[in-house]
Protein backbone atom coordinates (compact mmCIF):
# COMPACT_ATOMS: atom_id res chain seq x y z
CA UNK A 1 0.00 0.00 0.00
CA UNK A 2 1.34 3.46 -0.86
CA UNK A 3 2.08 5.76 2.06
CA UNK A 4 -0.30 8.66 2.76
CA UNK A 5 0.83 11.99 1.29
CA UNK A 6 1.14 15.21 3.23
CA UNK A 7 2.05 18.54 1.67
CA UNK A 8 4.33 20.79 3.73
CA UNK A 9 4.91 24.52 3.19
CA UNK A 10 7.95 26.08 4.85
CA UNK A 11 8.39 29.82 4.24
CA UNK A 12 11.91 31.10 4.80
CA UNK A 13 13.28 34.59 5.27
CA UNK A 14 16.84 34.85 6.60
CA UNK A 15 16.48 31.42 8.16
CA UNK A 16 20.01 30.14 7.66
CA UNK A 17 20.48 29.53 11.37
CA UNK A 18 17.44 27.24 11.72
CA UNK A 19 16.30 25.83 8.38
CA UNK A 20 18.49 22.72 8.30
CA UNK A 21 17.15 21.47 11.62
CA UNK A 22 13.63 21.86 10.24
CA UNK A 23 14.34 20.09 6.95
CA UNK A 24 16.33 17.27 8.52
CA UNK A 25 13.57 16.58 11.02
CA UNK A 26 10.96 16.54 8.24
CA UNK A 27 13.03 14.10 6.17
CA UNK A 28 13.20 11.82 9.21
CA UNK A 29 9.39 11.55 9.25
CA UNK A 30 8.18 7.95 9.10
CA UNK A 31 5.12 6.28 7.60
CA UNK A 32 4.21 9.18 5.31
CA UNK A 33 5.39 10.64 2.01
CA UNK A 34 6.07 14.36 2.46
CA UNK A 35 5.90 16.78 -0.44
CA UNK A 36 7.84 19.73 0.98
CA UNK A 37 7.69 23.17 -0.67
CA UNK A 38 10.35 25.51 0.68
CA UNK A 39 9.36 29.04 -0.33
CA UNK A 40 12.07 31.65 0.14
CA UNK A 41 10.86 35.24 0.54
CA UNK A 42 14.00 36.90 -0.86
CA UNK A 43 16.33 36.12 2.02
CA UNK A 44 19.28 38.49 2.29
CA UNK A 45 21.45 36.05 4.23
CA UNK A 46 22.85 32.76 2.92
CA UNK A 47 19.66 30.72 3.41
CA UNK A 48 19.44 29.62 -0.22
CA UNK A 49 23.15 28.88 -0.60
CA UNK A 50 23.08 26.89 2.62
CA UNK A 51 20.08 24.81 1.53
CA UNK A 52 21.72 24.00 -1.79
CA UNK A 53 25.05 23.13 -0.19
CA UNK A 54 23.29 20.95 2.38
CA UNK A 55 21.26 19.17 -0.28
CA UNK A 56 24.36 18.46 -2.36
CA UNK A 57 26.19 17.08 0.65
CA UNK A 58 28.95 19.70 0.65
CA UNK A 59 27.51 21.28 3.81
CA UNK A 60 27.64 18.59 6.52
CA UNK A 61 24.87 18.46 9.07
CA UNK A 62 24.93 17.31 12.67
CA UNK A 63 21.90 17.68 14.96
CA UNK A 64 22.50 20.32 17.65
CA UNK A 65 23.14 19.06 21.15
CA UNK A 66 19.96 20.72 22.40
CA UNK A 67 17.66 18.97 19.88
CA UNK A 68 14.66 17.88 22.00
CA UNK A 69 14.51 14.41 20.40
CA UNK A 70 16.81 11.97 18.67
CA UNK A 71 17.65 12.80 15.06
CA UNK A 72 19.95 11.18 12.52
CA UNK A 73 21.09 13.19 9.50
CA UNK A 74 19.56 12.15 6.18
CA UNK A 75 21.64 10.65 3.41
CA UNK A 76 22.84 13.00 0.69
CA UNK A 77 22.48 14.23 -1.95
CA UNK A 78 18.90 15.42 -1.62
CA UNK A 79 17.27 16.54 -4.85
CA UNK A 80 15.82 20.05 -4.85
CA UNK A 81 13.08 20.05 -7.45
CA UNK A 82 11.97 23.15 -9.38
CA UNK A 83 8.42 24.48 -9.20
CA UNK A 84 5.96 22.38 -11.18
CA UNK A 85 7.57 19.06 -10.36
CA UNK A 86 5.25 16.38 -8.98
CA UNK A 87 7.11 13.65 -7.17
CA UNK A 88 6.03 10.04 -7.35
CA UNK A 89 6.54 7.16 -4.95
CA UNK A 90 6.87 6.97 -1.20
CA UNK A 91 10.07 8.97 -0.78
CA UNK A 92 10.02 12.48 0.65
CA UNK A 93 10.62 15.26 -1.87
CA UNK A 94 11.62 18.93 -1.64
CA UNK A 95 10.69 21.69 -4.07
CA UNK A 96 12.61 24.95 -3.71
CA UNK A 97 10.79 28.11 -4.78
CA UNK A 98 12.32 31.59 -4.88
CA UNK A 99 9.69 34.33 -4.80
CA UNK A 100 12.21 37.10 -5.49
CA UNK A 101 10.44 39.45 -3.08
CA UNK A 102 9.36 39.48 0.55
CA UNK A 103 5.62 39.99 0.15
CA UNK A 104 4.86 38.78 3.66
CA UNK A 105 4.25 35.48 5.42
CA UNK A 106 0.86 34.75 3.85
CA UNK A 107 2.09 35.47 0.33
CA UNK A 108 4.86 32.93 0.80
CA UNK A 109 2.41 30.40 2.24
CA UNK A 110 0.03 30.90 -0.67
CA UNK A 111 2.82 30.37 -3.17
CA UNK A 112 3.62 27.04 -1.54
CA UNK A 113 -0.04 26.03 -1.27
CA UNK A 114 -0.64 26.76 -4.94
CA UNK A 115 2.36 24.61 -5.86
CA UNK A 116 1.30 21.65 -3.71
CA UNK A 117 -2.36 21.88 -4.75
CA UNK A 118 -1.31 20.91 -8.29
CA UNK A 119 -0.81 17.39 -6.95
CA UNK A 120 -4.31 15.94 -6.70
CA UNK A 121 -3.01 13.20 -4.43
CA UNK A 122 -2.43 15.68 -1.60
CA UNK A 123 -5.51 16.42 0.48
CA UNK A 124 -3.79 18.06 3.48
CA UNK A 125 -1.31 20.92 3.57
CA UNK A 126 0.89 21.53 6.63
CA UNK A 127 2.21 25.08 7.05
CA UNK A 128 5.27 24.90 9.31
CA UNK A 129 7.63 27.61 10.53
CA UNK A 130 11.29 27.16 9.53
CA UNK A 131 12.43 27.62 13.13
CA UNK A 132 10.67 24.41 14.10
CA UNK A 133 11.77 20.80 14.50
CA UNK A 134 9.37 17.86 14.46
CA UNK A 135 9.59 14.30 15.84
CA UNK A 136 9.44 11.44 13.34
CA UNK A 137 5.80 10.55 14.04
CA UNK A 138 4.22 14.02 13.92
CA UNK A 139 3.65 14.15 10.15
CA UNK A 140 1.98 10.73 10.12
CA UNK A 141 -0.28 11.77 12.99
CA UNK A 142 -1.45 14.77 10.98
CA UNK A 143 -1.86 12.69 7.81
CA UNK A 144 -4.00 10.01 9.48
CA UNK A 145 -6.11 12.08 11.86
CA UNK A 146 -9.70 11.09 11.11
CA UNK A 147 -12.70 13.26 10.43
CA UNK A 148 -13.53 16.25 8.26
CA UNK A 149 -11.93 19.53 9.30
CA UNK A 150 -10.96 22.96 8.07
CA UNK A 151 -7.73 23.60 9.96
CA UNK A 152 -5.92 21.29 12.35
CA UNK A 153 -3.22 21.82 14.93
CA UNK A 154 -1.33 19.94 17.57
CA UNK A 155 0.79 20.78 20.59
CA UNK A 156 3.52 23.36 19.99
CA UNK A 157 6.29 23.30 22.60
CA UNK A 158 9.19 25.66 23.16
CA UNK A 159 12.34 24.28 21.56
CA UNK A 160 14.47 25.79 24.32
CA UNK A 161 12.12 24.52 27.05
CA UNK A 162 10.71 21.32 25.54
CA UNK A 163 8.50 20.48 28.51
CA UNK A 164 6.67 23.84 28.29
CA UNK A 165 3.71 24.52 26.00
CA UNK A 166 3.76 27.53 23.70
CA UNK A 167 0.29 26.92 22.28
CA UNK A 168 -2.32 24.17 22.06
CA UNK A 169 -4.68 26.37 20.06
CA UNK A 170 -5.63 30.01 19.84
CA UNK A 171 -8.47 32.09 21.29
CA UNK A 172 -9.81 35.49 20.25
CA UNK A 173 -11.09 38.24 22.53
CA UNK A 174 -13.81 39.74 20.33
CA UNK A 175 -13.81 43.03 22.27
CA UNK A 176 -10.10 43.84 21.96
CA UNK A 177 -8.95 41.56 19.14
CA UNK A 178 -6.26 40.18 21.46
CA UNK A 179 -5.39 36.57 20.81
CA UNK A 180 -4.50 34.05 23.50
CA UNK A 181 -2.50 30.83 23.58
CA UNK A 182 -4.26 27.87 25.17
CA UNK A 183 -1.80 26.11 27.48
CA UNK A 184 0.83 28.85 27.33
CA UNK A 185 3.58 28.25 29.87
CA UNK A 186 2.06 25.04 31.23
CA UNK A 187 3.97 21.79 31.71
CA UNK A 188 3.14 19.45 28.86
CA UNK A 189 3.05 16.28 30.93
CA UNK A 190 0.60 17.80 33.41
CA UNK A 191 -1.73 19.54 30.94
CA UNK A 192 -4.73 17.94 29.26
CA UNK A 193 -5.21 18.42 25.56
CA UNK A 194 -7.87 21.01 24.65
CA UNK A 195 -11.36 20.44 23.32
CA UNK A 196 -11.34 21.60 19.66
CA UNK A 197 -14.63 23.38 20.33
CA UNK A 198 -12.75 25.75 22.66
CA UNK A 199 -10.26 26.74 19.94
CA UNK A 200 -10.85 29.80 17.74
CA UNK A 201 -7.84 29.44 15.44
CA UNK A 202 -4.71 27.38 14.85
CA UNK A 203 -1.29 29.02 15.10
CA UNK A 204 0.43 29.74 11.80
CA UNK A 205 3.62 28.22 13.21
CA UNK A 206 2.07 24.78 12.61
CA UNK A 207 -1.31 24.50 10.94
CA UNK A 208 -2.72 21.82 8.64
CA UNK A 209 -5.33 22.89 6.10
CA UNK A 210 -7.61 20.39 4.41
CA UNK A 211 -8.00 20.63 0.65
CA UNK A 212 -11.74 21.12 1.13
CA UNK A 213 -11.09 24.17 3.31
CA UNK A 214 -8.43 25.55 0.95
CA UNK A 215 -10.66 25.23 -2.09
CA UNK A 216 -13.66 26.70 -0.26
CA UNK A 217 -12.12 29.52 1.82
CA UNK A 218 -9.36 30.38 -0.61
CA UNK A 219 -5.74 31.25 0.19
CA UNK A 220 -4.52 32.88 3.36
CA UNK A 221 -5.29 36.65 3.42
CA UNK A 222 -2.15 38.57 2.44
CA UNK A 223 -2.84 42.17 3.42
CA UNK A 224 -1.80 41.75 7.06
CA UNK A 225 1.79 41.14 5.90
CA UNK A 226 2.62 39.75 9.36
CA UNK A 227 0.40 38.41 12.15
CA UNK A 228 -3.32 37.57 12.25
CA UNK A 229 -3.33 35.92 8.81
CA UNK A 230 -4.14 32.54 10.33
CA UNK A 231 -6.67 34.12 12.73
CA UNK A 232 -8.56 35.71 9.84
CA UNK A 233 -8.24 32.51 7.78
CA UNK A 234 -9.86 30.44 10.53
CA UNK A 235 -12.94 32.69 10.53
CA UNK A 236 -13.51 31.76 6.89
CA UNK A 237 -14.06 28.08 7.67
CA UNK A 238 -17.86 28.13 7.56
CA UNK A 239 -19.33 24.91 8.95
CA UNK A 240 -16.06 22.99 8.77
CA UNK A 241 -14.75 22.42 12.31
CA UNK A 242 -11.28 22.99 13.65
CA UNK A 243 -9.42 19.85 14.69
CA UNK A 244 -6.74 19.01 17.23
CA UNK A 245 -4.29 16.12 16.90
CA UNK A 246 -2.90 15.13 20.33
CA UNK A 247 -0.12 12.98 18.86
CA UNK A 248 1.34 15.81 16.75
CA UNK A 249 4.18 17.61 18.54
CA UNK A 250 6.20 20.53 17.19
CA UNK A 251 9.17 22.18 18.89
CA UNK A 252 9.33 25.86 18.00
CA UNK A 253 12.11 28.41 18.40
CA UNK A 254 9.82 31.41 18.83
CA UNK A 255 10.64 34.79 17.33
CA UNK A 256 13.85 34.01 15.44
CA UNK A 257 12.90 35.92 12.30
CA UNK A 258 10.82 38.93 13.37
CA UNK A 259 11.45 39.32 17.08
CA UNK A 260 8.24 37.89 18.48
CA UNK A 261 8.20 37.62 22.27
CA UNK A 262 9.62 34.55 23.96
CA UNK A 263 9.53 33.29 27.53
CA UNK A 264 12.44 35.55 28.44
CA UNK A 265 12.30 38.45 25.95
CA UNK A 266 9.74 41.14 25.07
CA UNK A 267 8.72 41.72 21.47
CA UNK A 268 10.85 43.89 19.19
CA UNK A 269 9.49 47.23 17.87
CA UNK A 270 9.17 45.58 14.43
CA UNK A 271 7.02 42.83 15.92
CA UNK A 272 4.97 45.25 18.02
CA UNK A 273 4.17 47.51 15.08
CA UNK A 274 2.89 44.75 12.83
CA UNK A 275 1.08 42.84 15.56
CA UNK A 276 -0.93 45.82 16.77
CA UNK A 277 -1.57 47.06 13.23
CA UNK A 278 -2.83 43.59 12.31
CA UNK A 279 -4.97 43.37 15.45
CA UNK A 280 -6.79 46.61 14.69
CA UNK A 281 -7.11 45.67 11.01
CA UNK A 282 -8.66 42.38 12.09
CA UNK A 283 -11.10 44.11 14.46
CA UNK A 284 -12.14 46.63 11.81
CA UNK A 285 -12.83 43.77 9.42
CA UNK A 286 -14.66 41.31 11.68
CA UNK A 287 -15.78 43.08 14.89
CA UNK A 288 -16.31 46.71 13.91
CA UNK A 289 -18.38 47.58 16.98
CA UNK A 290 -15.43 46.62 19.18
CA UNK A 291 -13.09 49.17 17.61
CA UNK A 292 -13.28 51.74 20.49
CA UNK A 293 -12.43 49.08 23.08
CA UNK A 294 -9.62 47.75 20.90
CA UNK A 295 -8.10 51.24 20.66
CA UNK A 296 -8.41 51.75 24.42
CA UNK A 297 -6.52 48.49 24.88
CA UNK A 298 -3.75 49.81 22.60
CA UNK A 299 -3.45 52.98 24.64
CA UNK A 300 -3.34 51.06 27.91
CA UNK A 301 -0.69 48.70 26.53
CA UNK A 302 1.43 51.57 25.28
CA UNK A 303 1.24 53.32 28.69
CA UNK A 304 2.13 50.09 30.47
CA UNK A 305 5.24 49.59 28.34
CA UNK A 306 6.23 53.25 28.56
CA UNK A 307 6.13 53.13 32.35
CA UNK A 308 8.61 50.26 32.21
CA UNK A 309 11.02 52.46 30.29
CA UNK A 310 10.24 51.26 26.76
CA UNK A 311 9.22 54.56 25.21
CA UNK A 312 10.15 53.66 21.64
CA UNK A 313 8.18 50.43 21.84
CA UNK A 314 5.17 52.26 23.30
CA UNK A 315 5.12 54.78 20.46
CA UNK A 316 5.44 51.94 17.96
CA UNK A 317 2.28 50.35 19.40
CA UNK A 318 0.39 53.63 18.96
CA UNK A 319 1.49 54.03 15.34
CA UNK A 320 0.64 50.45 14.44
CA UNK A 321 -2.77 50.62 16.10
CA UNK A 322 -3.66 53.79 14.19
CA UNK A 323 -2.42 52.27 10.91
CA UNK A 324 0.00 55.17 10.70
CA UNK A 325 3.31 55.13 8.89
CA UNK A 326 5.90 53.10 10.81
CA UNK A 327 8.86 54.71 12.55
CA UNK A 328 12.13 54.65 10.59
CA UNK A 329 13.65 51.89 12.74
CA UNK A 330 10.80 49.60 11.68
CA UNK A 331 10.57 50.57 8.02
CA UNK A 332 14.27 50.22 7.28
CA UNK A 333 14.22 46.55 8.27
CA UNK A 334 12.29 45.85 5.06
CA UNK A 335 13.60 46.26 1.54
CA UNK A 336 12.05 48.97 -0.64
CA UNK A 337 9.90 46.46 -2.54
CA UNK A 338 8.80 44.67 0.63
CA UNK A 339 7.93 47.99 2.31
CA UNK A 340 5.75 49.01 -0.62
CA UNK A 341 3.77 45.80 -0.20
CA UNK A 342 3.66 45.89 3.60
CA UNK A 343 2.40 49.47 3.82
CA UNK A 344 -0.10 49.56 0.99
CA UNK A 345 -3.77 50.14 1.92
CA UNK A 346 -5.63 47.11 3.29
CA UNK A 347 -8.10 45.18 1.17
CA UNK A 348 -11.59 46.69 1.32
CA UNK A 349 -14.39 44.38 2.54
CA UNK A 350 -15.98 44.37 -0.92
CA UNK A 351 -12.70 43.07 -2.37
CA UNK A 352 -12.33 40.20 0.09
CA UNK A 353 -13.01 36.64 -0.98
CA UNK A 354 -16.31 35.17 0.16
Amino acid sequence: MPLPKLGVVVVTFNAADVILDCLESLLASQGVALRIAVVDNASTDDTLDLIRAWASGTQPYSPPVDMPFGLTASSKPVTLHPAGHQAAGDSHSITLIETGINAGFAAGVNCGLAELALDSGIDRFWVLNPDSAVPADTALAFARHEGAFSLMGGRVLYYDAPDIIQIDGGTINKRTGVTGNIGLGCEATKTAHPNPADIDFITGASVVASRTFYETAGPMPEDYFLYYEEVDWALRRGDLPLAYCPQALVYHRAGTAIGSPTLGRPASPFSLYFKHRARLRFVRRHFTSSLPVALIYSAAKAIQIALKGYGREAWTIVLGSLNAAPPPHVRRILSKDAAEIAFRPPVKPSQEPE
Side-chain angles (χ1 to χ4, degrees):
M1 291 290 292
L3 297 179
K5 285 185 181 181
L6 181 64
V8 186
V9 179
V10 180
V11 178
T12 56
F13 177 74
N14 293 352
D17 57 336
V18 294
I19 185 58
L20 296 189
D21 294 336
C22 180
L23 293 179
E24 286 281 2
S25 69
L26 285 171
L27 292 182
S29 297
Q30 298 175 359
V32 61
L34 298 184
R35 302 295 180 248
I36 306 166
V38 178
V39 182
D40 187 73
N41 269 356
S43 290
T44 56
D45 67 355
D46 60 347
T47 294
L48 288 171
D49 290 340
L50 181 68
I51 292 174
R52 293 190 176 100
W54 162 81
S56 70
T58 59
Q59 173 65 48
Y61 174 82
S62 296
V65 295
D66 63 346
M67 180 67 73
F69 51 86
L71 179 63
T72 301
S74 61
S75 59
K76 307 295 184 301
V78 173
T79 301
L80 299 177
H81 299 287
H85 174 84
Q86 292 190 26
D90 288 340
S91 299
H92 303 314
S93 68
I94 300 178
T95 297
L96 183 60
I97 303 171
E98 299 180 53
T99 64
I101 187 171
N102 181 9
F105 172 70
V109 168
N110 291 337
C111 179
L113 290 174
E115 172 68 22
L116 293 173
L118 296 174
D119 186 338
S120 60
I122 301 175
D123 64 359
R124 297 181 181 188
F125 309 98
W126 182 15
V127 179
L128 180 68
N129 269 19
D131 54 353
S132 300
V134 298
D137 55 356
T138 291
L140 179 60
F142 276 143
R144 287 190 171 172
H145 189 81
E146 296 182 353
F149 68 93
S150 54
L151 300 168
M152 174 168 53
R155 174 158 285 178
V156 180
L157 301 161
Y158 283 104
Y159 181 101
D160 298 327
D163 58 337
I164 301 299
I165 299 170
Q166 182 187 11
I167 186 170
D168 268 346
T171 60
I172 306 168
N173 183 319
K174 295 179 181 180
R175 298 182 66 218
T176 62
V178 174
T179 57
N181 289 14
I182 296 174
L184 176 65
C186 296
E187 293 184 46
T189 56
K190 298 180 180 179
T191 304
H193 295 287
N195 182 340
D198 296 329
I199 299 174
D200 293 325
F201 70 94
I202 307 297
T203 176
S206 174
V207 54
V208 178
S210 68
R211 181 179 283 271
T212 300
F213 168 79
Y214 176 62
E215 293 179 347
T216 302
M220 189 177 281
E222 297 184 9
D223 65 328
Y224 290 96
F225 193 77
L226 288 173
Y227 295 114
Y228 277 79
E229 306 97 333
E230 74 272 37
V231 185
D232 191 305
W233 210 26
L235 293 189
R236 305 183 185 203
R237 65 185 181 272
D239 295 330
L240 285 171
L242 299 177
Y244 181 86
C245 182
Q247 299 80 23
L249 299 179
V250 171
Y251 295 90
H252 182 216
R253 294 181 176 100
T256 61
I258 56 178
S260 300
T262 69
L263 285 175
R265 186 194 67 221
S268 68
F270 184 85
S271 174
L272 287 170
Y273 176 84
F274 279 102
K275 188 156 193 174
H276 286 275
R277 188 187 75 158
R279 178 175 59 84
L280 268 296
R281 185 166 291 185
F282 174 79
V283 169
R284 290 185 182 97
R285 180 167 296 168
H286 294 287
F287 307 110
T288 307
S289 62
S290 296
L291 185 58
V293 176
L295 287 169
I296 291 171
Y297 175 87
S298 293
K301 195 68 177 178
I303 292 171
Q304 179 190 54
I305 290 180
L307 291 175
K308 293 181 179 179
Y310 296 102
R312 187 172 73 163
E313 286 80 0
W315 183 236
T316 301
I317 289 174
V318 172
L319 293 177
S321 298
L322 296 177
N323 198 35
H329 59 271
V330 169
R331 189 179 185 92
R332 64 171 169 257
I333 292 175
L334 297 173
S335 68
K336 180 180 179 182
D337 290 341
E340 289 179 356
I341 293 172
F343 305 122
R344 65 190 174 191
V347 175
K348 296 179 180 179
S350 61
Q351 297 174 312
E352 293 179 17
E354 299 180 356

